[in-house]
Amino acid sequence: MEITLALIKPHVVRNTVALRHLLDLIKDNFQVLESKEVHITKQLSEKFYAEHKGKFFYNRLTTFMGSGPSYALILQSADSIAKWRSLMGPTKVYKAIYSNPDCIRALYGLSDTRNACHGSDSTESAMKEISILFPEFNMTEALNAEDQKR
């Protein structure tokens, strides 16, 4: 079993129908270990997106993420990183619309910044991002609990 972070962006959280659809999709595909609505402050956004600092979209992204609440979830399943990234679809919304019209970003993304959701791209990123948005989450305890189930 693998753990990943899913983050639903502010414009989708404001759309209650879209949010409900995504939460149902998530529950059908993953075990949700933790979830919460989170207001991503400028400081939190800068920490979360630190690897993008200096890129042309960085200020637009960190400002947008503070425009309203987001919804963060810790997901678990076999190959959860790849599975969540597949459900999200391509990062670029125009590509998602043409190559995978049923994916989350094609359905709810508005632009490359407002692309509906975020997902960790590796185990290392997942651990880092979860620790930022869920500092109270005990990763070791969660992984040990999974080992004991086997």
Side-chain angles (χ1 to χ4, degrees):
M1 292 298 241
E2 186 175 65
I3 295 173
T4 193
L5 177 85
L7 184 63
I8 301 172
K9 294 186 177 182
H11 73 282
V12 178
V13 172
R14 282 190 285 270
N15 179 338
T16 57
V17 173
L19 179 60
R20 176 60 32 220
H21 174 252
L22 289 187
L23 294 177
D24 288 345
L25 179 67
I26 288 167
K27 288 175 184 166
D28 288 346
N29 286 279
F30 303 93
Q31 178 182 354
V32 177
L33 300 181
E34 297 282 339
S35 65
K36 66 181 177 183
E37 188 173 280
V38 59
H39 184 75
I40 299 180
T41 63
K42 184 78 165 165
Q43 181 182 12
L44 189 60
S45 186
E46 288 172 350
K47 185 176 181 181
F48 191 83
Y49 290 109
E51 72 271 12
H52 297 304
K53 190 168 185 154
K55 294 181 181 173
F56 73 93
F57 59 85
Y58 178 76
N59 286 332
R60 182 175 57 222
L61 178 59
T62 56
T63 300
F64 166 65
M65 291 305 293
S67 69
S70 294
Y71 200 80
L73 305 100
I74 301 173
L75 309 179
Q76 185 176 43
S77 76
D79 299 319
S80 63
I81 293 170
K83 185 192 289 188
W84 176 239
R85 293 181 70 79
S86 176
L87 288 170
M88 288 190 304
T91 303
K92 295 190 177 301
V93 172
Y94 74 87
K95 183 176 181 184
I97 290 167
Y98 291 104
S99 68
N100 191 352
D102 295 325
C103 74
I104 294 167
R105 288 177 169 151
L107 295 171
Y108 303 113
L110 303 175
S111 68
D112 292 349
T113 302
R114 293 177 164 99
N115 63 359
C117 48
H118 167 85
S120 304
D121 61 4
S122 67
T123 301
E124 296 75 27
S125 292
M127 300 304 121
K128 178 187 134 240
E129 293 169 354
I130 288 168
S131 72
I132 291 169
L133 296 180
F134 292 90
E136 70 285 356
F137 183 73
N138 187 324
M139 194 76 62
T140 305
E141 191 177 292
L143 294 173
N144 286 342
E146 183 55 36
D147 286 342
Q148 290 177 1
K149 287 180 187 175
R150 290 185 207 159

